């Protein structure tokens, strides 16, 4: 498959802060990639590098075989602006015309707005739109120039369930027609509904890069939390950390663990079991400072 | 590329016209000054009325250029829209050129009320050729103030830019003799006057519209200010680019 965008050993620092740490990654034609990670993990930095907003401190970022800093290479990408930044006094149709005017190939304004449920709002000033309408406009703008690759940063934040589903359908359609998508989201549900490949980033590293199926397996992980002075050797413990008296364990099979724990006769209290978030699972799995339980 | 510059200019002009307070502010004060001071006191003297009209037109132009541009640029830097524009397939040129051209458009709009008052209610006279020449002088004279606006806008946060541009604006306007003719100003102001860029710009306008000979010092200082402000604006632009887009 053709590689549309590529990061090779990319490191990015902001002063003392290490935002990305030797990240390598290929985005191939036709993929729909979900990018997961907590705030500050490096998601936005990664997108900014691909979109030509930032240069890597070291390493190489490629876009369509060139540099994203070259405006000509950016003809093939679409990016969502943050909806809070849209110029308030312009009309929806004017902004759309303005953005698509930058691209050699473009979707007609009427068609684009209709596709995102904004057909009736072309004459409305942005300042008069609801939050959800602005969000949809921001996402629509990413598709204005008939891109081959779109970067959607939190596309459905602030949308109600119905609008979210409608937007998912739009993204799916773009993908089915051959488009490539890199999507970030706080919602695991959204990544699960759309992505085929999932990237998890944390502390500036790619913690996992795998198929949705493999990642779903990870999502079965549970967090078992209890207060105890010490613990015996227990089965299926993937990771552990201790904060004061409380010990948190990430386990694949919590039932068996609890049975073993009771059987061992070690005193404990305050037992809690809850699903680990995907991020938690990956972060704990890959963190090196896991306390010895 | 020219079509993109046009697109950026168009959208920035629309933005300013839909929220016209900036244009009104630049046009209103000098027009009121015309009616209140020039019409009753020097309205009968053709040369004085002509130069006063030119001075107050430049007052409005300078306000649009310096205050308008520094506010617009500093606010741009705080909006998420600005980095988004950088992801579009165009370099920074169309945006920058659009900013300059739209400011020029607003400059030209904001001088119209003073021109109308001068033409209707005073003895100010001018030939079409001199009027055109006067507009040329006005645009040339406004360049260092646009550069100053860029410098302030790229250096300061928007609240600070608003205050600093006003602080720069009024003293320079008074020192340069835009509100009152230099001859009636106190002696120490007269001594300082040739060294502020407003004076050179005003003399350029008086020369082209009323045929008054400019002083070499004022014009040389205007050129020097333009050069220094260009260097400062370029420095501020590069520094800002380095911080936000490197």
């Amino acid at each position: 498959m053709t590689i549309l965008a590529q990061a090779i050993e990319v490191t990015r620092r902001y002063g003392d802060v290490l935002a990305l740490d030797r990240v390598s990654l290929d985005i191939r034609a036709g993929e729909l990639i979900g990018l997961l990670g907590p705030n500050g993990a490096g998601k936005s930095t990664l997108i900014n590098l691909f979109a030509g907003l930032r240069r890597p401190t070291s390493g190489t970022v490629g876009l369509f075989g060139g540099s994203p800093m070259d405006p000509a290479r950016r003809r093939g990408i679409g990016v969502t602006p943050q909806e809070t930044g849209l110029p308030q006094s312009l009309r929806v149709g004017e902004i759309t015309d303005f953005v698509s005017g930058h691209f050699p190939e473009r979707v007609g304004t009427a068609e684009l707005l209709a596709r995102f449920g904004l057909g009736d709002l072309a004459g409305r000033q942005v300042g008069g739109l609801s939050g959800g309408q602005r969000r949809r406009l921001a996402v629509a703008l990413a598709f204005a120039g008939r891109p081959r690759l779109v970067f959607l940063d939190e596309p459905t934040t602030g949308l109600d369930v119905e609008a979210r589903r409608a937007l998912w359908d739009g993204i799916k359609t773009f993908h089915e027609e051959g488009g490539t998508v890199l999507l970030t989201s706080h919602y695991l549900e959204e990544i699960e509904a759309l992505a085929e490949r999932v990237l998890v980033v944390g502390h500036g590293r790619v913690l996992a890069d795998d198929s949705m199926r493999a990642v779903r397996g990870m999502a079965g992980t549970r967090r078992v939390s209890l207060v105890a002075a010490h613990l015996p050797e227990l089965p299926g413990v993937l990771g552990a950390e201790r904060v004061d008296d409380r010990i948190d364990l990430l386990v694949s099979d919590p039932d068996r663990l609890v049975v073993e724990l009771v059987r061992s006769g070690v005193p404990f209290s305050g037992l809690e079991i809850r699903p680990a978030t995907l991020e938690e699972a990956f972060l704990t799995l890959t963190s090196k400072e896991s306390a010895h339980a | 590329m020219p079509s993109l510059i046009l697109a950026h200019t168009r959208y920035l002009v629309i933005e300013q016209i839909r929220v016209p307070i900036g244009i009104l502010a630049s046009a209103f004060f000098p027009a009121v000054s015309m009616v209140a001071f020039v019409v009753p006191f020097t309205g009968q003297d053709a040369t004085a009325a002509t130069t006063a009209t030119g001075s107050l037109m430049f007052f409005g132009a300078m306000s649009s250029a310096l205050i308008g541009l520094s506010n617009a640029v500093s606010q741009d830097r705080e909006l998420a829209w600005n980095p988004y524009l950088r992801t579009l397939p165009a370099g920074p040129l169309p945006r920058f050129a659009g900013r300059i051209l739209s400011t020029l458009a607003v400059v030209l709009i904001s001088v119209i009320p003073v021109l109308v008052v001068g033409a209707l209610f005073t003895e100010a006279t001018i030939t079409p050729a001199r009027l055109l020449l006067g507009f040329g002088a006005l645009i040339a004279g406004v360049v260092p103030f646009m550069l100053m606006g860029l410098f302030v806008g790229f250096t300061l946060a928007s609240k600070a830019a608003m205050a600093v541009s006003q602080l720069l604006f009024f003293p320079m306007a008074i020192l340069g003799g835009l509100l009152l003719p230099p001859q009636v100003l106190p002696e120490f102001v007269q001594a300082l006057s040739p060294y502020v860029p407003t004076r050179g710009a005003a003399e350029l306008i008086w020369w082209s519209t009323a045929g008054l000979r400019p002083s070499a010092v004022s014009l040389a200082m205007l050129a020097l200010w333009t050069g220094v402000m260009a260097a400062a604006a370029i420095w501020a632009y590069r520094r800002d680019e380095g911080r936000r887009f490197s």
Side-chain angles (χ1 to χ4, degrees):
Chain A
M1 267 192 290
T2 330
I3 293 172
L4 300 187
Q6 191 173 39
I8 305 166
E9 287 286 302
V10 167
T11 295
R12 172 69 214 204
R13 289 175 184 280
Y14 298 105
D16 293 341
V17 181
L18 187 60
L20 288 178
D21 182 12
R22 286 168 290 131
V23 167
S24 294
L25 160 71
D26 290 344
I27 300 176
R28 290 175 290 266
E31 286 189 309
L32 209 169
I33 305 172
L35 184 57
L36 269 175
N39 286 333
K43 300 194 298 275
S44 299
T45 300
L46 195 57
I47 290 185
N48 287 345
L49 289 169
F50 281 127
L53 283 176
R54 293 285 188 178
R55 293 168 203 275
T57 308
S58 68
T60 319
V61 179
L63 185 68
F64 303 117
S67 162
M69 288 296 182
D70 171 8
R73 305 288 165 186
R74 297 201 297 270
R75 285 185 190 140
I77 63 167
V79 179
T80 36
Q82 281 179 31
E83 77 274 19
T84 47
L86 296 170
Q88 302 281 305
S89 54
L90 288 197
R91 298 185 206 285
V92 171
E94 287 168 347
I95 290 197
T96 314
D97 285 341
F98 170 75
V99 169
S100 48
H102 286 76
F103 294 88
E105 284 180 60
R106 51 194 87 149
V107 182
T109 294
E111 185 197 329
L112 184 70
L113 293 180
R115 202 198 288 173
F116 287 88
L118 298 163
D120 306 335
L121 301 172
R124 184 86 70 84
Q125 285 188 13
V126 171
L129 297 181
S130 72
Q133 289 164 339
R134 274 182 221 195
R135 189 79 284 229
R136 273 183 283 155
L137 173 60
V139 176
L141 292 178
F143 294 90
R146 293 197 184 277
R148 293 165 68 195
L149 168 60
V150 290
F151 297 97
L152 303 176
D153 200 357
E154 310 268 340
T156 61
T157 304
L159 291 187
D160 58 34
V161 176
E162 206 173 315
R164 178 172 300 165
R165 302 261 169 209
L167 207 61
W168 288 358
D169 287 342
I171 295 169
K172 278 183 191 154
T173 309
F174 172 75
H175 177 237
E176 278 156 17
E177 290 165 359
T180 308
V181 181
L182 182 73
L183 170 84
T184 77
S185 184
H186 277 109
Y187 305 118
L188 178 57
E189 187 201 358
E190 183 157 294
I191 300 286
E192 285 193 293
L194 295 171
E196 296 165 341
R197 175 181 164 199
V198 178
L199 278 166
V200 182
V201 292
H203 307 301
R205 306 273 310 164
V206 174
L207 301 178
D209 180 354
D210 217 324
S211 68
M212 190 68 230
R213 184 201 301 268
V215 168
R216 277 217 183 91
M218 292 299 227
T221 307
R222 293 288 182 278
R223 177 174 281 262
V224 176
S225 172
L226 53 92
V227 177
H230 73 280
L231 289 179
E233 201 65 33
L234 290 167
V237 176
L238 304 168
E241 55 186 47
R242 175 189 279 271
V243 181
D244 298 331
D245 286 351
R246 187 160 276 281
I247 297 169
D248 276 14
L249 304 170
L250 278 165
V251 302
S252 50
D253 186 345
D255 302 322
R256 198 156 74 86
L257 179 116
V258 171
V259 169
E260 288 296 323
L261 180 63
V262 172
R263 205 172 272 166
S264 76
V266 170
F268 68 90
S269 62
L271 180 69
E272 292 169 15
I273 301 177
R274 59 185 170 84
T277 65
L278 192 59
E279 286 157 21
E280 243 176 2
F282 280 115
L283 286 172
T284 315
L285 280 173
T286 46
S287 96
K288 291 172 187 80
E289 314 91 330
S290 49
H292 196 78
Chain B
M1 193 58 91
S3 72
L4 273 184
I5 293 177
L6 196 69
H8 279 262
T9 309
R10 191 172 154 266
Y11 127 64
L12 290 167
V13 169
I14 290 176
E15 234 185 352
Q16 301 210 43
I17 286 177
R18 295 232 172 103
V19 189
I21 186 68
I23 304 178
L24 285 177
S26 298
F28 183 72
F29 184 72
V32 167
S33 303
M34 272 301 279
V35 174
F37 302 113
V38 178
V39 173
F41 299 120
T42 47
Q44 308 311 312
D45 177 341
T47 305
T50 307
T51 54
T53 306
S55 303
L56 286 171
M57 281 171 75
F58 189 73
F59 185 91
M62 180 189 161
S63 157
S64 295
L66 171 57
I67 299 178
L69 204 50
S70 60
N71 286 347
V73 169
S74 59
Q75 279 166 11
D76 266 2
R77 289 166 51 230
E78 288 164 18
L79 283 180
W81 181 243
N82 189 12
Y84 167 72
L85 292 179
R86 297 283 297 244
T87 69
L88 296 176
L93 177 71
R95 172 76 172 171
F96 193 78
R99 204 25 112 194
I100 298 297
L101 290 174
S102 66
T103 304
L104 261 183
V106 171
V107 160
L108 294 176
I109 293 170
S110 65
V111 302
I112 290 171
V114 175
L115 185 63
V116 170
V117 172
L120 293 182
F121 304 112
T122 73
E123 292 300 312
T125 54
I126 197 159
T127 62
R130 278 195 177 276
L131 182 65
L132 213 61
L133 212 57
F135 269 108
L138 183 125
I139 290 169
V142 99
V143 168
F145 297 99
M146 290 174 84
L147 293 167
M148 200 180 289
L150 290 174
F151 169 68
V152 172
F154 279 122
T155 317
L156 300 175
S158 68
K159 277 182 182 162
M162 196 173 292
V164 167
S165 59
Q166 306 256 10
L167 277 179
L168 289 169
F169 174 74
F170 280 102
M172 282 196 298
I174 292 164
L175 285 175
L178 296 183
L179 290 177
L180 291 167
Q183 309 82 273
V184 307
L185 295 173
E187 216 156 285
F188 79 96
V189 176
Q190 286 204 37
L192 264 172
S193 186
Y195 301 99
V196 292
T198 31
R199 179 62 182 269
E203 291 202 10
L204 211 54
I205 290 170
W206 298 334
W207 185 21
S208 55
T209 55
L212 300 182
R213 273 185 70 83
S215 86
V217 179
S218 302
L219 292 190
M221 288 313 291
L222 179 65
L224 182 67
W225 274 97
T226 307
V228 170
M229 281 300 129
I234 290 168
W235 172 81
Y237 174 76
R238 290 208 177 132
R239 171 173 168 271
D240 180 56
E241 286 281 297
R243 285 188 176 182
R244 295 189 304 138
F245 299 110
S246 68

